[in-house]
Amino acid sequence: MKIYLVGGAVRDALLGLSIKDKDYLVVGSTPAEMLSLGYRQVGKDFPVFLHPKNQQEYALARIERKTGSGYDGFSCDANEHVSLEEDLLRRDLTINAIAQDEYGKLHDPYGGQQDIADKKLRHVSMAFVEDPLRVLRVARFAARFHPQGFTVAAETLTLMAQITQSGELEHLTPERVWQECERAMATDEPQVFFEVLAQCGALEVLFPEIHALFGVPQPEKWHPEIDTGLHTLLSLKQASLLSQDMAIRFATLVHDLGKALSPKESLPKHHGHGQKGLPLIKNLCKRLRVPNDYRDLALLVSDQHQNIHNAFELKASTVISLFDKGDFWRKPERLDGLLIACIADIRGRTGLENSDYPQATYLAHCFQLAKQIDVQQIIAQGFAGSDIKNQLNRLRILAIDEYKLTLNEKQPN
């Protein structure tokens, strides 16, 4: 039996990155031997064991053969004669196919260290095309390692396009697609994930609502980048700079889906695009089983981002109605998410990445003023029933009107 450290831990150590998880590969052993040593088996499809003391994962070396469609269409052979090289050959990228033995020596039969030096994400072998999930994984790695300068090798991108054209992506479960998407969204450059999917044709298959935005023009006066798809990815990049919250990033990604439905005769204008996008967001979230809190914020941002951009022109009563509709009284964090997504929208434009957004400060202050109205004082004054809510609403509107008046007085003539 020989044990090797493999996968991400070896790769990240070579890149000088912090190591989160360690995976070990066992060559020359059997399930019976692992169990006799006190390991506990957890893998159903192939033998994976937990160490009896530290609970880290140890997998037997294995060979996989394609037997059907999709991510699960494989048979697994994990006999004790499978070599280290045979196991590493089935892995996705060369940078993930490096092993380290107990003495610290690296075993790199497929050139992973050279690809790390060259900043290339390259497939190990033609077995790459057998697993459609690898299209998403490579796109995710492209996003994760973009800050280090990595790009997808041209020949690997060609194989990703081949997988897309084969129809294999359609066999992926919604859960796996969303899992890879969410992990990509957590990186510092989430927009790269969607750029790579677009390059190999997978965006149209997996995220057709986002794909439909590319080629849709916007008014150059407001959007120097013109293309709505480009604006969407620029906005997502800005959202990643502003917040680590995945719901905010997702809401920013889908905030303009309705622009793909604008009549051609009205282009480049997009009247009512926020509301037109609501059914598209609902369908996307239902199809990929997106968490409800992500969906709800996304719907709010799509519906209200134009109102937020026009905040200074809104009547005080409209501002209160917006707060009511968003249920901000009970969930004030939703207002924060909405405002951050709107900042990302404004900054997601070529040459306007550092734009100020006073609307956010203004609305946040309006909300604080409205929240300070004490309902107990209203009750103490003798209001009852529906009159309590009416008086609360009236005082909140009055507080915002007074604030607007002070702002107007400060404006130069």
Side-chain angles (χ1 to χ4, degrees):
M1 176 195 294
K2 291 185 178 180
I3 296 176
Y4 300 87
L5 180 66
V6 293
V10 179
R11 176 200 66 220
D12 290 349
L14 291 172
L15 285 168
L17 302 174
S18 60
I19 298 172
K20 296 180 180 179
D21 300 306
K22 290 185 176 181
D23 295 315
Y24 292 90
L25 178 68
V26 182
V27 177
S29 186
T30 65
E33 182 180 15
M34 297 295 287
L35 293 172
S36 71
L37 294 172
Y39 288 81
R40 180 165 59 90
Q41 185 168 350
V42 294
K44 295 180 180 179
D45 299 325
F46 50 84
V48 177
F49 300 83
L50 296 182
H51 191 281
K53 293 182 179 180
N54 59 30
Q55 303 303 303
Q56 289 182 322
E57 289 192 358
Y58 287 69
L60 294 184
R62 64 188 187 271
I63 298 172
E64 291 177 343
R65 294 181 177 86
K66 186 74 168 174
T67 58
S69 299
Y71 170 73
D72 296 321
F74 291 90
S75 65
C76 176
D77 180 3
N79 72 75
E80 67 268 34
H81 302 297
V82 176
S83 68
L84 173 64
E85 290 76 17
E86 286 175 317
D87 180 275
L88 295 178
L89 183 66
R90 66 168 179 79
R91 296 176 183 258
D92 51 7
L93 298 172
T94 60
I95 66 170
N96 297 330
I98 307 171
Q100 184 179 58
D101 64 25
E102 58 185 317
Y103 304 107
K105 180 182 177 182
L106 295 178
H107 299 260
D108 179 21
Y110 304 111
Q113 293 176 88
Q114 185 60 53
D115 281 336
I116 286 176
D118 295 338
K119 309 293 185 183
K120 285 295 180 185
L121 301 175
R122 190 188 315 277
H123 62 283
V124 177
S125 71
M126 288 303 295
F128 179 90
V129 301
E130 296 178 353
D131 184 356
L133 186 65
R134 289 177 170 177
V135 172
L136 287 160
R137 280 176 54 83
V138 172
R140 172 167 61 83
F141 281 126
R144 179 180 175 187
F145 295 121
H146 189 266
Q148 284 78 32
F150 277 81
T151 58
V152 182
E155 57 269 34
T156 301
L157 201 60
T158 297
L159 293 185
M160 292 165 68
Q162 182 179 324
I163 294 172
T164 300
Q165 293 162 9
S166 74
E168 279 280 302
L169 292 179
E170 297 166 13
H171 295 284
L172 293 175
T173 64
E175 291 84 357
R176 292 313 301 259
V177 173
W178 174 250
Q179 182 183 56
E180 291 297 323
C181 177
E182 190 171 33
R183 293 175 72 181
M185 295 274 279
T187 68
D188 291 338
E189 302 280 354
Q191 77 285 353
V192 174
F193 174 75
F194 297 98
E195 289 172 357
V196 172
L197 292 182
Q199 289 169 14
C200 68
L203 189 67
E204 183 175 6
V205 177
L206 300 172
F207 301 94
E209 299 89 350
I210 299 171
H211 168 79
L213 298 175
F214 288 90
V216 176
Q218 303 167 111
E220 186 175 2
K221 177 182 178 181
W222 307 112
H223 287 275
E225 73 286 348
I226 300 177
D227 189 276
T228 305
L230 178 57
H231 164 63
T232 293
L233 298 189
L234 290 172
S235 298
L236 177 58
K237 168 59 179 175
Q238 290 299 317
S240 73
L241 294 172
L242 292 165
S243 175
Q244 296 290 324
D245 190 316
M246 294 299 101
I248 294 174
R249 295 184 180 191
F250 177 73
T252 303
L253 174 69
V254 300
H255 80 282
D256 269 351
L257 292 189
K259 287 184 176 179
L261 301 180
S262 296
K264 289 185 178 180
E265 60 270 19
S266 70
L267 295 177
K269 296 182 179 179
H270 299 278
H271 298 298
H273 68 273
Q275 293 66 48
K276 291 177 183 176
L278 300 180
L280 297 176
I281 293 171
K282 290 177 182 177
N283 289 338
L284 186 155
C285 291
K286 182 178 180 180
R287 184 178 73 249
L288 296 183
R289 300 175 190 174
V290 175
N292 289 344
D293 57 330
Y294 287 30
R295 178 202 62 201
D296 293 345
L297 181 61
L299 291 171
L300 178 66
V301 171
S302 182
D303 187 42
Q304 294 295 329
H305 69 276
Q306 282 301 115
N307 273 337
I308 302 300
H309 294 335
N310 297 323
F312 293 113
E313 286 74 51
L314 300 180
K315 296 179 180 179
S317 58
T318 304
V319 172
I320 294 299
S321 294
L322 190 157
F323 293 164
D324 289 339
K325 188 172 184 179
D327 196 19
F328 300 150
W329 314 112
R330 292 192 309 121
K331 301 176 181 179
E333 70 280 359
R334 283 163 59 88
L335 175 59
D336 294 334
L338 172 60
L339 295 177
I340 291 172
C342 287
I343 296 172
D345 180 24
I346 288 298
R347 292 182 179 176
R349 300 178 293 166
T350 302
L352 299 169
E353 296 83 1
N354 298 311
S355 296
D356 291 330
Y357 196 70
Q359 294 93 324
T361 303
Y362 168 70
L363 286 172
H365 191 65
C366 286
F367 183 64
Q368 291 305 315
L369 290 173
K371 273 184 62 179
Q372 290 172 11
I373 305 301
D374 189 352
V375 69
Q376 295 302 321
Q377 288 187 4
I378 294 174
I379 295 172
Q381 292 170 1
F383 290 91
S386 61
D387 290 338
I388 296 174
K389 183 176 181 180
N390 292 336
Q391 179 66 358
L392 178 62
N393 198 56
R394 191 185 72 82
L395 293 178
R396 284 171 170 171
I397 291 172
L398 181 61
I400 293 177
D401 269 332
E402 291 177 349
Y403 175 45
K404 288 172 68 72
L405 185 61
T406 61
L407 289 179
N408 290 334
E409 290 174 349
K410 293 178 181 178
Q411 293 294 323
N413 293 328

